[in-house]
Amino acid sequence: MHMLNELLSVPVAAGTLAVAGGGIAFICRKVGKVITSEKVALMGIMGAFVFAAQMVNIPLPGMPGTSGHMVGAVLLAIILGPHAAAIAITSVVMVQCLIFQDGGLLALGCNIINMGLVPCYLGYYVYKLISAGKSGSVRIYVAAMAACLVAIETGAILVPVEALLSGVLSVPFLTFLKTMVAVHLIIGLIEGVITVGVLGYLQQVRGDIFSFGAGGKIRMSKRKVMVTFLIFTVVIGAGLSLLASDKPDGLEWSYADRPDQMDFEPMVSNGDAKIEAVDKFQAEYSPMPDYSIRSSEEVSAAWTSFAGVVGAILTMGFIWGIARIIRSNDKKGFGN
Amino acid sequence: MHHAHIDKFAYQDSPIHRLDSRVKFIVVMVFTFLVISLPVDSFGILFCYAVWPFAILVIGRIPLKFAFKQVLIVSPFILFLALSYPFYERGLVRTEFGPWNFEISLGWVKCFTISGKFTVTVLALIALVSTTKFSNLLSGLGRLGFPKLLVMQLGFLYRYIFVLIDKAQHILMARSSRRMRSLGVKREVKVAASMAGSLLIRSIDSAEKINIAMQARGFSGTWKSVNEQKFRRGDLLFALVCGAFIMALHFIVRPFLI
């Protein structure tokens, strides 16, 4: 998930930019010393491969009409090694920001950390740790799966943490965190399955790219896939039920209870003691806005604010008009 | 898909297009920092800030329809978040706006401000990349001190994204023309994995060919560009005007509106 400018405060944005920039500069220097020109082209193409691979989608089981795709950071880390993969994914994130405007310019630091540095290094070392250089089919399946899940979950957890540090969240932190974790469990699972599939394919077709020394084969057996799905369905189910029991849905709450208007009749009242307790808990939990201080200030600012908006719109109209006139003159003058 | 669809406007010509990419990059960066640092109830001044990207887009002859369409395309996540604010912060705020005087919940104020900030910063980013050729932007970034390896990476990436996306589309078309029904989870995953795998192998093969071609042309590990950008008088003027505008907003207009 791309982090956005608006979820960050300036110090957090500057801090993460500095960390990401420093990290990338360090990796570039380290890799730059040993890299051959052959690897330079390979890394560039691999970045482009990530874009293309994201178009290969699979329909999700049990959810008709939806489809998932891979992210690719862990796959690249396994094939290219973590340093080269980190540079490749960083360039992908930068192009997503600069050309496709996905994720903000200030959030670039966060995005590089969440989606590039953390998944590449963490995923690579988890994979290394579990696979331990051996070529057993089950071992590699588990290793790649675990690497993808850990890498993607960690990246996802960092998003609400960074937003929390910035202090811009009004959605309760835990709700946001749980939503991100639940959503990214599914994403990580898809990533894991496809990564394992690609590794198996590579081993069959081009053992030279992805070799474990002694030849071994990864096969996707139906049982393995099913067992994995079962385990993670249970985990996701447990996570979602936690989420559901903790707080009622925001919309439901807004109908049931309006603490800001004392004389407001609840439209939907529910006699259940548990739900009422949860409502009360949430009413206490939600931060009280400091509008009493704000309101006195805003009265004085009313007209200047209005003038600001009107002035800005007039200025834009003025610029547009001038540009229009100049453009039509250009057309007459030079016939282009 | 060809890259002309995405940054076709970068190849136009206008006073903005001719500026040094470093100046534009720095100005956009500073601008974004200032917009993000605005407090939550600053809807009025956001409009004033919006004048800058608007001016760049209009002078650079970028169709506004294209820019706003692009904002819409990237907005789902922020819209989802912004619309969740009214559910969580429902204390009422007394707001006066010109002749109107009304009560609105703080959540809605935040929702509007956040979406406004998003629109303004994305417009500024679009104004930067659609008035600057990506190669110029990269050489600018390189001269601002970005690591050479990363800049080269970005260059390769930009050059080959669209080639590989074309290949991926061929593979996808082949799949959809052969698959008449859903194949079940296992086969779907297997097919997708083989598609991604063959795409990977093709990418690695083409990287080898590209490397040989580059070696044959004397690639020594760094790029050399013929048209080096120079910092000219126009760039200085642009930097001064933008600086004056931003400073005036920040130090003179902002205290009035907030």
Side-chain angles (χ1 to χ4, degrees):
Chain A
M1 189 73 85
H2 284 88
M3 189 76 184
L4 298 158
N5 285 337
E6 289 67 30
L7 290 182
L8 294 172
S9 66
V10 171
V12 176
T16 47
L17 273 176
V19 170
I24 287 299
F26 177 73
I27 299 167
C28 279
R29 183 177 291 183
K30 208 175 156 188
V31 173
K33 278 182 191 154
V34 293
I35 200 165
T36 57
S37 67
E38 190 190 321
K39 259 278 181 83
V40 173
L42 184 62
M43 274 160 55
I45 305 294
M46 282 300 134
F49 161 76
V50 168
F51 267 98
Q54 290 184 350
M55 296 178 63
V56 177
N57 53 348
I58 51 167
L60 295 183
M63 288 179 268
T66 55
S67 66
H69 64 80
M70 72 186 306
V71 185
V74 179
L75 181 65
L76 282 202
I78 293 174
I79 292 176
L80 291 179
H83 308 301
I87 296 176
I89 298 287
T90 301
S91 64
V92 168
V93 173
M94 284 183 74
V95 165
Q96 279 174 337
C97 168
L98 290 174
I99 295 183
F100 299 95
Q101 282 94 37
D102 241 346
L105 198 56
L106 289 190
L108 205 51
C110 285
N111 283 329
I112 289 175
I113 293 173
N114 300 351
M115 302 198 302
L117 299 182
V118 165
C120 285
Y121 281 93
L122 204 60
Y124 180 75
Y125 286 111
V126 168
Y127 174 80
K128 257 278 163 74
L129 194 72
I130 299 179
S131 74
K134 297 196 182 93
S135 62
S137 154
V138 177
R139 190 183 273 269
I140 285 174
Y141 180 84
V142 173
M145 201 75 188
C148 290
L149 272 173
V150 170
I152 286 187
E153 279 297 342
T154 315
I157 288 171
L158 284 174
V159 170
V161 170
E162 283 152 352
L164 181 75
L165 285 178
S166 305
V168 292
L169 275 184
S170 68
V171 180
F173 171 69
L174 279 179
T175 313
F176 192 19
L177 184 71
K178 283 174 191 164
T179 317
M180 289 299 278
V181 168
V183 168
H184 284 81
L185 257 180
I186 302 172
I187 295 177
L189 199 63
I190 295 166
E191 173 85 7
V193 169
I194 301 185
T195 304
V196 170
V198 172
L199 289 180
Y201 179 85
L202 282 183
Q203 212 178 26
Q204 280 175 16
V205 184
R206 286 281 297 266
D208 55 324
I209 295 170
F210 171 68
S211 58
F212 300 99
K217 278 191 178 170
I218 312 169
R219 287 222 181 79
M220 300 279 291
S221 83
K222 190 169 185 175
R223 208 172 51 196
K224 265 186 268 173
V225 175
M226 279 303 146
V227 168
T228 323
F229 270 104
L230 193 71
I231 292 171
F232 285 107
T233 314
V234 171
V235 174
I236 292 168
L240 283 182
S241 66
L242 260 177
L243 195 92
S245 69
D246 203 15
K247 293 181 194 70
D249 168 30
L251 189 63
E252 184 191 328
W253 180 57
S254 70
Y255 277 114
D257 184 22
R258 290 279 303 265
D260 48 276
Q261 291 186 7
M262 289 309 180
D263 53 347
F264 186 82
E265 282 283 314
M267 278 177 174
V268 183
S269 69
N270 192 328
D272 194 342
K274 193 180 159 201
I275 291 184
E276 272 174 6
V278 172
D279 277 353
K280 204 174 151 195
F281 168 72
Q282 189 163 14
E284 279 170 12
Y285 187 85
S286 69
M288 282 304 288
D290 50 344
Y291 56 90
S292 55
I293 311 163
R294 192 185 309 280
S295 58
S296 62
E297 286 174 358
E298 272 186 359
V299 174
S300 63
W303 281 99
T304 45
S305 172
F306 182 66
V309 173
V310 172
I313 291 174
L314 284 181
T315 315
M316 289 189 216
F318 181 70
I319 294 172
W320 190 72
I322 296 279
R324 199 63 198 265
I325 292 166
I326 293 174
R327 213 171 295 174
S328 63
N329 277 352
D330 271 8
K331 273 179 193 154
K332 273 178 219 152
F334 306 106
N336 51 344
Chain B
M1 187 161 94
H2 192 262
H3 60 88
H5 286 292
I6 289 174
D7 59 353
K8 54 187 164 188
F9 300 110
Y11 293 87
Q12 291 177 341
D13 186 41
S14 79
I16 302 288
H17 286 77
R18 272 174 247 137
L19 292 168
D20 191 316
S21 62
R22 290 171 293 176
V23 179
K24 280 187 274 190
F25 182 77
I26 292 173
V27 170
V28 169
M29 202 78 188
V30 171
F31 180 81
T32 314
F33 260 107
L34 289 178
V35 170
I36 293 307
S37 68
L38 289 174
V40 281
D41 56 346
S42 50
F43 203 66
I45 195 166
L46 259 180
F47 266 83
C48 303
Y49 273 99
V51 170
W52 186 80
F54 183 84
I56 301 293
L57 287 172
V58 170
I59 299 171
R61 300 183 182 185
I62 313 300
L64 292 175
K65 205 174 140 194
F66 163 81
F68 281 106
K69 216 167 141 189
Q70 195 66 25
V71 172
L72 260 187
I73 289 174
V74 293
S75 65
F77 183 44
I78 193 74
L79 275 186
F80 176 73
L81 263 167
L83 287 176
S84 76
Y85 275 88
F87 289 117
Y88 286 102
E89 302 206 14
R90 303 186 303 117
L92 291 182
V93 191
R94 166 132 237 100
T95 312
E96 287 193 9
F97 181 69
W100 299 285
N101 177 344
F102 48 88
E103 279 192 343
I104 186 170
S105 80
L106 186 63
W108 280 112
V109 173
K110 283 193 172 179
C111 172
F112 286 134
T113 312
I114 289 230
S115 358
K117 277 184 181 179
F118 176 76
T119 311
V120 173
T121 53
V122 173
L123 280 181
L125 191 56
I126 293 173
L128 169 70
V129 295
S130 55
T131 59
T132 316
K133 283 181 203 155
F134 198 67
S135 54
N136 283 350
L137 186 60
L138 283 186
S139 73
L141 289 182
R143 294 211 284 159
L144 278 176
F146 274 57
K148 269 205 180 107
L149 195 59
L150 185 64
V151 171
M152 220 150 46
Q153 270 296 295
L154 286 166
F156 270 113
L157 180 55
Y158 179 73
R159 175 68 186 78
Y160 287 102
I161 287 175
F162 302 101
V163 177
L164 288 186
I165 283 183
D166 265 349
K167 284 186 185 172
Q169 268 172 347
H170 293 162
I171 297 179
L172 283 174
M173 191 175 283
R175 178 179 72 173
S176 58
S177 58
R178 284 175 179 78
R179 184 181 60 182
M180 297 299 162
R181 61 192 160 79
S182 173
L183 301 174
V185 182
K186 189 197 162 193
R187 278 199 75 84
E188 289 281 6
V189 168
K190 207 172 169 184
V191 168
S194 317
M195 286 161 66
S198 76
L199 201 57
L200 183 71
I201 292 176
R202 284 201 213 180
S203 316
I204 291 175
D205 286 347
S206 55
E208 261 163 37
K209 280 179 203 152
I210 292 160
N211 176 46
I212 293 170
M214 289 194 320
Q215 295 290 334
R217 287 162 180 76
F219 178 69
S220 62
T222 46
W223 276 352
K224 292 182 183 67
S225 172
V226 181
N227 54 335
E228 280 295 323
Q229 301 172 75
K230 288 205 180 73
F231 191 84
R232 286 183 298 253
R233 226 179 303 164
D235 299 312
L236 185 66
L237 185 69
F238 177 77
L240 286 179
V241 169
C242 291
F245 173 75
I246 291 173
M247 289 293 164
L249 268 187
H250 191 73
F251 292 110
I252 302 171
V253 182
R254 193 171 153 171
F256 275 108
L257 291 190
I258 294 171

